[in-house]
Amino acid sequence: MNSIKRAGVDKILFSFPQVELKKCSKRVVETLRTLHEEHVKVYQLYAASDSAFSEKNMVGEVLRFNEKCEQQFDGVAVNNEAFVKCCDDSCDDDQAVQFLRNMKETKRNAFPLPFHFSISWHWGECSPDRPFKITLDGVTKSATEHMIDIVDSVDVQVAWSEASEMIRR
């Protein structure tokens, strides 16, 4: 664990199976205890990545775990890559708007825990000079800006290994 301290790690996203959460498994409880002793926050990560945004229903299990088990998760995280953007005149942005509504529902279902979300680097733009803007609840801005406003924290998946390209993305 000393390497975690030296690296400055203060949050870990873990993906424990739901069945282990339901039974307060020793493995989950001990993992949480060990990381909490090192002052590391632990978020339960879900990644169904389906268009129904199944994660919105999964996060409730974390709240149940926190109510009945010896240790608690510090938040929930979602990596749903089923986002569909519409960058031409042949489609509308209904799917993207529904995705954002599902994100809002997930945040409500996870309350009072913080909600972390993984964003793909290209979701907010159709091209480098053309943002993908959508209207949600009467507000028009890029899809990425909406996502950042909905959740409590984000990470951006850049899918690249060269620094200059990661920065651009």
Side-chain angles (χ1 to χ4, degrees):
M1 284 295 164
N2 287 333
S3 60
I4 286 178
K5 282 184 177 179
R6 281 194 308 275
V9 173
D10 64 354
K11 183 190 309 178
I12 292 180
L13 311 179
F14 253 110
S15 186
F16 291 105
Q18 289 289 76
V19 67
E20 290 194 46
L21 298 184
K22 288 179 182 178
K23 63 180 186 176
C24 292
S25 87
K26 182 178 179 180
R27 182 174 82 107
V28 177
V29 170
E30 289 305 313
T31 300
L32 290 170
R33 182 185 334 278
T34 301
L35 289 166
H36 286 150
E37 286 171 357
E38 297 297 324
H39 307 288
V40 175
K41 292 182 179 180
V42 183
Y43 283 42
Q44 170 67 4
L45 170 65
Y46 293 106
S49 281
D50 58 10
S51 60
F53 212 100
S54 296
E55 296 91 347
K56 69 185 174 205
N57 299 315
M58 296 174 179
V59 297
E61 194 58 48
V62 176
L63 299 177
R64 287 184 286 282
F65 179 94
N66 281 1
E67 288 174 9
K68 66 180 185 173
C69 303
E70 296 174 38
Q71 291 288 313
Q72 287 78 44
F73 284 95
D74 302 292
V76 297
V78 170
N79 177 22
N80 185 313
E81 298 182 14
F83 182 72
V84 176
K85 63 183 176 183
C86 180
C87 290
D88 60 44
D89 296 333
S90 68
C91 58
D92 60 48
D93 59 7
D94 288 348
Q95 287 179 301
V97 170
Q98 186 57 48
F99 190 92
L100 295 173
R101 286 188 180 127
N102 285 332
M103 286 180 69
K104 285 182 151 195
E105 185 175 349
T106 304
K107 181 173 176 129
R108 282 191 303 273
N109 292 346
F111 185 81
L113 294 175
F115 175 31
H116 177 89
F117 191 74
S118 296
I119 298 174
S120 181
W121 68 273
H122 60 83
W123 286 351
E125 64 181 32
C126 291
S127 64
D129 60 339
R130 185 172 157 230
F132 174 52
K133 293 193 175 208
I134 56 179
T135 302
L136 176 69
D137 300 331
V139 177
T140 303
K141 55 185 157 185
S142 81
T144 302
E145 290 171 312
H146 279 298
M147 291 175 188
I148 291 169
D149 288 347
I150 292 168
V151 302
D152 298 301
S153 61
V154 299
D155 65 88
V156 178
Q157 298 181 13
V158 295
W160 207 261
S161 59
E162 294 173 8
S164 61
E165 185 62 15
M166 288 190 300
I167 291 167
R168 183 192 73 78
R169 290 179 175 199

